[in-house]
Amino acid sequence: MRQKIAAANWKMNLTYQQAEKLLEELIATPHELKENHLAIFAVPFPYLQLANSKLGGKKNVFVAAQNCYSKKSGAYTGEVSVEMLTSMNIQYVILGHSERREYFNESNQLLADKINICLENNIRPIFCCGEPLNIREANTQNDFVGKQLQESLYHLSAEQLQQIVIAYEPIWAIGTGKTASSEQAQEMHAFIRQQLAAKYGNDVAENISILYGGSVKGSNAAELFSQKDVDGGLVGGASLNAGEFVTIINSLK
Ligand code: PEP
């Protein structure tokens, strides 16, 4: 059975004290995680240990990093290796977020390298893809997203691909309050699944969780998650509010 996932992306927000308060509020807010439901919290690096100490060991709850470097170790000042993450028991990392692609020039090839080192170290990447507004307006979003998948993922074996969570995040919907309609989300998710099926076969494609990201909130999560190929959400702004995020968790189908 496919995993349904509510993933929080705190981005570069909150002080240590605010992070601690949010984690405590999250723990105190009743939420329901069924057998195939996961809640993942991608917190800033300095808060990984804190999040682990508050959430670690809770059933179907994981702490994630928001990035990692493509090299094993060495003279890369300011970077964080996967070995550092695994030594802290971190099992997921977001890769290819559009903010990293745009502000830090992360290419599909660099992301392929990051994915490789994660998989070699048993860390599961949450691989983000998605088109900017001009591409959507030109109606060429399928080609654009197809190329992102091809250049960053298609070198993987079927077994490796099954370790990946995909997050489709149309850039025009991230942090803008403008959510893709559930039909637009479903259409792209179905396209992604078809592409994976063509390359890896139906059984593999059916097992991959494809999350939607872009202004998901408590009020629209249930409608988005009701779509056949939408397996949950990657959530920025609304994940900074415990009540909102727990509503999103409870909206997983
Ligand atoms: C994100 O950060 O991945 C995201 C989708 O942000 P938001 O929910 O704020 O649009």
Side-chain angles (χ1 to χ4, degrees):
M1 205 187 328
R2 248 184 354 242
Q3 287 175 320
K4 307 288 171 147
I5 302 173
N9 176 14
W10 287 7
K11 312 194 188 192
M12 195 178 74
N13 289 304
L14 308 178
T15 62
Y16 186 91
Q17 290 72 20
Q18 290 167 334
E20 192 167 36
K21 184 164 171 279
L22 176 55
L23 288 165
E24 273 156 17
E25 286 169 359
L26 282 161
I27 294 165
T29 313
H31 54 275
E32 190 194 347
L33 283 169
K34 297 197 186 113
E35 198 53 41
N36 65 326
H37 289 182
L38 304 186
I40 300 178
F41 295 86
V43 305
F45 289 128
Y47 309 155
L48 286 172
Q49 192 58 42
L50 171 71
N52 254 344
S53 72
K54 299 277 182 199
L55 304 173
K58 296 204 181 300
K59 194 165 173 275
N60 293 0
V61 176
F62 295 90
V63 177
Q66 297 174 13
N67 183 31
C68 67
Y69 198 42
S70 56
K71 305 284 183 195
K72 189 172 169 356
S73 63
Y76 301 103
T77 302
E79 291 296 337
V80 171
S81 74
V82 286
E83 201 174 18
M84 292 172 190
L85 298 176
T86 50
S87 70
M88 296 177 73
N89 215 13
I90 300 301
Q91 296 170 53
Y92 287 85
V93 63
I94 296 177
L95 290 179
H97 192 283
S98 59
E99 288 150 16
R100 295 220 51 95
R101 291 177 187 264
E102 181 179 352
Y103 306 134
F104 303 96
N105 297 320
E106 295 202 357
S107 64
N108 291 337
Q109 182 50 56
L110 174 71
L111 293 169
D113 293 342
K114 288 189 176 193
I115 283 167
N116 290 345
I117 198 158
C118 283
L119 294 177
E120 280 161 24
N121 289 276
N122 298 320
I123 291 208
R124 295 186 66 185
I126 301 172
F127 173 75
C128 303
C129 55
E131 79 287 354
L133 186 58
N134 63 324
I135 296 287
R136 171 63 64 166
E137 284 172 347
N139 200 25
T140 53
Q141 63 273 11
N142 288 5
D143 291 345
F144 188 91
V145 170
K147 187 165 187 278
Q148 290 178 320
L149 300 177
Q150 187 186 350
E151 295 187 354
S152 295
L153 299 183
Y154 284 7
H155 62 288
L156 300 175
S157 67
E159 198 186 328
Q160 288 174 317
L161 187 84
Q162 288 178 93
Q163 297 307 308
I164 308 273
V165 174
I166 293 179
Y168 167 61
E169 300 205 306
I171 299 171
W172 45 273
I174 298 179
T176 57
K178 195 172 164 190
T179 317
S181 67
S182 49
E183 290 78 20
Q184 284 172 320
Q186 168 56 28
E187 205 179 321
M188 178 57 85
H189 285 225
F191 168 75
I192 292 172
R193 209 178 297 287
Q194 277 158 16
Q195 296 296 297
L196 298 178
K199 170 87 182 149
Y200 293 97
N202 261 331
D203 289 354
V204 172
E206 282 300 317
N207 269 326
I208 307 282
S209 302
I210 308 177
L211 316 185
Y212 167 78
S215 300
V216 176
K217 335 185 242 286
S219 57
N220 59 23
E223 162 70 14
L224 285 159
F225 300 170
S226 69
Q227 301 300 309
K228 179 174 163 290
D229 289 291
V230 178
D231 303 314
L234 178 56
V235 185
S239 73
L240 298 172
N241 177 297
E244 277 285 311
F245 192 66
V246 166
T247 303
I248 293 167
I249 294 176
N250 290 340
S251 302
L252 291 171
K253 289 283 165 332

